[in-house]
Amino acid sequence: MFFSLPSWAVAILVFAVVGAATASGYTIGRYLRKHEPSVREPFGVLQAALLGVVGLILAFGLTLAVGRYEDRRAATVTEANAIGTTSLRAQLIAEPARSRSLQLLREYTDQAIAVAGEVPGSGDIRRTTAAQGVLQRRLWRLAGQALASAPLGSAPRLYVDSLNATIDAQAARLSSLNNRVPGAVLALEVFGAAAAVGLLALHISVLGRGLVAMIAAAVLVTLLLLVIFDLDRPARGLIEVPSTPLVAVRASMALPPAAEGPSRP
């Protein structure tokens, strides 16, 4: 549910839920202030216990989001390394597969870079990955031709091995982009945090204390929730998975090939 919403809608939703809970707690606290001697202690104990539980829930959600973010970064680096290795080995196979494969690998890398800016599950990323699939089949056909023309050569075998790793790396990267924190966990964090902040506001209001601490706590919890959501949205928000490794590999492909392949098998 949350992932389908744009970032601004998620921010408004989180601010609205936490803000409504804070305002409700403060309003109820003012109403109960005349009964302060009888309600101060039970509400204080409940609020402290709930804050501890919500702190654990938020820490758990943040750990899940950070872990998935790091997996996506690692998958991007792995794919970039696999493409770079494949490009280097493609320089060693015979023509005409050599030149055709190098050109297709440039196009393939452009598509891989485009994936970094597209929302998982959207029509754009489906079209991009479909184009990558077409390029994979064309590259694999050329690899088969190179291997058939030199069945005893080392270069075609090494090239086939690295191309296979590139295809596997692309599948792993797409899987990591779709591996998100479960919506039930995110909902529990939002409403649990809102309940805790609401009880904190109620307790502060019953005691007749100032609003600064209450507002600071609400803002801090809201920002923490937004960071968790942002980490779980790889192509939207402020925290994005960098495509720098893929861009660097693509830049290296613009240079003339460092090795000359055999003119014929």
Side-chain angles (χ1 to χ4, degrees):
M1 178 185 72
F2 295 104
F3 190 78
S4 61
L5 298 174
S7 297
W8 62 265
V10 172
I12 292 176
L13 177 62
V14 174
F15 271 109
V17 172
V18 177
T22 304
S24 299
Y26 185 76
T27 302
I28 296 173
R30 290 189 62 182
Y31 176 78
L32 296 175
R33 186 178 301 172
K34 60 182 178 180
H35 305 295
E36 179 185 340
S38 60
V39 300
R40 177 191 296 182
E41 184 175 350
F43 275 118
V45 173
L46 179 61
Q47 172 261 331
L50 189 56
L51 277 180
V53 173
V54 170
L56 291 175
I57 294 175
L58 290 175
F60 176 67
L62 185 61
T63 301
L64 289 178
V66 170
R68 283 161 170 76
Y69 176 77
E70 292 298 331
D71 289 343
R72 295 180 189 117
R73 291 190 61 177
T76 302
V77 173
T78 300
E79 184 176 20
N81 290 337
I83 293 174
T85 301
T86 304
S87 177
L88 291 175
R89 292 181 178 178
Q91 298 176 18
L92 303 178
I93 62 177
E95 296 288 358
R98 177 179 181 273
S99 297
R100 294 176 181 174
S101 297
L102 290 174
Q103 179 58 38
L104 291 177
L105 283 170
R106 296 186 190 99
E107 298 176 16
Y108 185 83
T109 307
D110 290 334
Q111 299 289 351
I113 294 172
V115 168
E118 295 170 346
V119 179
S122 66
D124 290 338
I125 199 171
R126 283 194 292 268
R127 286 188 289 271
T128 302
T129 53
Q132 281 188 295
V134 173
L135 292 174
Q136 286 173 356
R137 289 190 291 272
R138 293 176 64 185
L139 284 166
W140 194 255
R141 185 181 304 112
L142 289 171
Q145 294 173 3
L147 188 59
S149 63
L152 300 181
S154 301
R157 294 180 181 276
L158 291 173
Y159 172 68
V160 168
D161 181 69
S162 60
L163 180 58
N164 186 50
T166 298
I167 296 173
D168 292 342
Q170 187 245 11
R173 182 185 177 206
L174 293 178
S175 177
S176 69
L177 291 176
N178 291 303
N179 183 20
R180 298 187 290 270
V181 178
V185 174
L186 295 175
L188 176 63
E189 291 189 343
V190 171
F191 291 106
V197 173
L199 281 175
L200 175 63
L202 188 151
H203 185 56
I204 291 176
S205 181
V206 166
L207 296 177
R209 304 290 174 81
L211 298 176
V212 176
M214 180 186 68
I215 295 176
V219 171
L220 180 62
V221 170
T222 301
L223 291 177
L224 182 57
L225 287 170
L226 291 178
V227 168
I228 294 173
F229 277 96
D230 208 23
L231 284 168
D232 201 43
R233 302 160 71 83
R236 292 178 285 184
L238 300 176
I239 306 174
E240 298 181 353
V241 178
S243 59
T244 307
L246 290 167
V247 173
V249 169
R250 181 61 181 87
S252 69
M253 292 179 178
L255 301 174
E260 294 291 338
S263 57
R264 58 174 176 267

